[in-house]
Amino acid sequence: STSNNPMNTGTTTQHQQAQAFVDNFNESYAAKHEAFENQFWGTKMALKGTNESPYSTDLLSQTKKEMEDFLSDADVLVKAKKFCDEIQKQDTDSDTVTDTTVTDTDLWKVLNVIIRTCQCNEFPTPEAKSIREQTNAFEGKLEKDRNEMKLGYTNSKGEFITASSVGLRTTMRTSLEESERQSAYDGLRSIGDFVCDHPQGFLEVVKLRNALAKKLGFGDYYDYTVQNAEGFSKAQLFEILDGLEEGTRPLMVKARQELQERHGPFTLSSSRGTWAT
């Protein structure tokens, strides 16, 4: 437990103590989350920092760790559960509904949100926490190197035009020259090769994420994230998506037919890429 955790409540009543805990939790989390978000977008967008507000992958990893350490602190979870149980017991023992009861009910709901949030960020063993921190470091390094990639395409005059991934996608959609659209497509595809060939790249991140998920009792990282975010398993999600695909399949078939009729059979040929149209 750190000194920044919302553990020190000097109020006298149960409700005041619980409310102070919630207020302190929200303030602490908001500050840590804002610091992480600033670093996330600063590094992702390759923004130029200042002495007062620098951006770096080291600071990104640091602020993410501080936020996750706060949310995974066992003392915070214990305190939230304690207040939640006390409020529930008080309401159960009370024979009448008062303004205080209604207020406590709202407070109880907020405490349950805090409990759920902390449970989604639990890393119960030092090994699990170590894997998470290593994953964060790999992700930060990969993101930094990806941002520094020189992307672009060759125009119809043979000139290399520097462009971001967004610019390349725009060129694919708007250029009247097929050679430019293909070059922009190849530029986008180079990102995939880069992140897969990187020594701390996507494949290593996937391995670490899956190792973490298995340490926490899940089949893989996707199952872990789905259950944390949605409250049900990956298998259940795929059942939902299978139904969605089946329900929309006729629309997809019709759209492909119309595309072929409008632009010719080559549009659906695997020998030419998505730049063709």
Side-chain angles (χ1 to χ4, degrees):
S1 172
T2 66
S3 59
N4 291 328
N5 287 334
M7 297 293 114
N8 299 320
T9 54
T11 51
T12 56
T13 69
Q14 182 186 85
H15 175 88
Q16 289 173 326
Q17 290 174 354
Q19 186 62 61
F21 168 82
V22 168
D23 292 343
N24 289 334
F25 177 92
N26 287 340
E27 290 173 6
S28 297
Y29 176 66
K32 294 178 186 299
H33 188 261
E34 181 180 7
F36 165 69
E37 285 290 331
N38 287 340
Q39 289 301 318
F40 176 84
W41 289 109
T43 53
K44 186 176 183 65
M45 304 301 291
L47 300 179
K48 184 177 181 180
T50 64
N51 291 333
E52 294 76 20
S53 300
Y55 301 116
S56 71
T57 53
D58 287 341
L59 286 173
L60 175 63
S61 297
Q62 176 186 324
T63 53
K64 186 174 184 179
K65 180 180 183 300
E66 289 172 353
M67 182 178 68
E68 290 184 344
D69 284 349
F70 175 73
L71 293 176
S72 63
D73 192 320
D75 289 343
V76 175
L77 184 58
V78 168
K79 195 75 170 180
K81 287 181 175 180
K82 174 179 175 291
F83 282 127
C84 199
D85 291 343
E86 289 176 351
I87 290 174
Q88 187 173 30
K89 183 177 184 302
Q90 182 183 36
D91 289 348
T92 302
D93 293 343
S94 177
D95 294 329
T96 59
V97 177
T98 65
D99 291 342
T100 302
T101 303
V102 174
T103 303
D104 282 351
T105 299
D106 291 340
L107 188 56
W108 179 81
K109 292 178 181 178
V110 174
L111 286 165
N112 270 288
V113 172
I114 292 175
I115 291 169
R116 174 61 178 160
T117 301
C118 291
Q119 288 174 334
C120 287
N121 288 274
E122 279 188 299
F123 303 109
T125 67
E127 187 175 4
K129 195 166 186 63
S130 175
I131 294 174
R132 180 61 172 181
E133 291 174 359
Q134 186 179 6
T135 306
N136 290 344
F138 275 35
E139 289 173 346
K141 173 63 174 171
L142 179 60
E143 182 73 20
K144 175 180 179 295
D145 292 348
R146 156 65 186 87
N147 285 342
E148 294 174 354
M149 280 186 69
K150 184 178 181 180
L151 296 174
Y153 67 96
T154 302
N155 67 14
S156 58
K157 298 178 181 180
E159 301 167 332
F160 181 82
I161 307 299
T162 300
S164 67
S165 58
V166 176
L168 291 174
R169 286 192 291 270
T170 300
T171 300
M172 283 181 61
R173 291 194 301 269
T174 61
S175 177
L176 299 179
E177 297 290 337
E178 182 177 341
S179 63
E180 290 186 357
R181 297 197 300 271
Q182 179 177 356
S183 181
Y185 174 78
D186 291 339
L188 278 175
R189 286 204 59 177
S190 70
I191 298 173
D193 292 337
F194 177 84
V195 298
C196 287
D197 293 339
H198 194 285
Q200 294 181 346
F202 183 67
L203 298 180
E204 295 305 315
V205 169
V206 169
K207 291 176 184 178
L208 287 170
R209 287 176 173 179
N210 286 336
L212 172 64
K214 289 175 181 178
K215 286 291 180 184
L216 298 175
F218 298 90
D220 54 37
Y221 188 77
Y222 189 59
D223 191 35
Y224 163 68
T225 55
V226 169
Q227 294 211 38
N228 274 351
E230 307 296 344
F232 51 78
S233 69
K234 179 181 74 172
Q236 289 173 291
L237 174 62
F238 284 171
E239 289 178 7
I240 296 171
L241 295 177
D242 286 343
L244 179 63
E245 188 278 326
E246 291 174 7
T248 58
R249 190 181 302 164
L251 294 174
M252 182 273 294
V253 172
K254 181 180 178 182
R256 286 171 61 86
Q257 290 173 343
E258 290 178 351
L259 178 66
Q260 189 173 34
E261 291 170 1
R262 182 179 304 173
H263 297 288
F266 70 87
T267 55
L268 301 182
S269 172
S270 60
S271 63
R272 296 178 74 180
T274 56
W275 69 81
T277 55

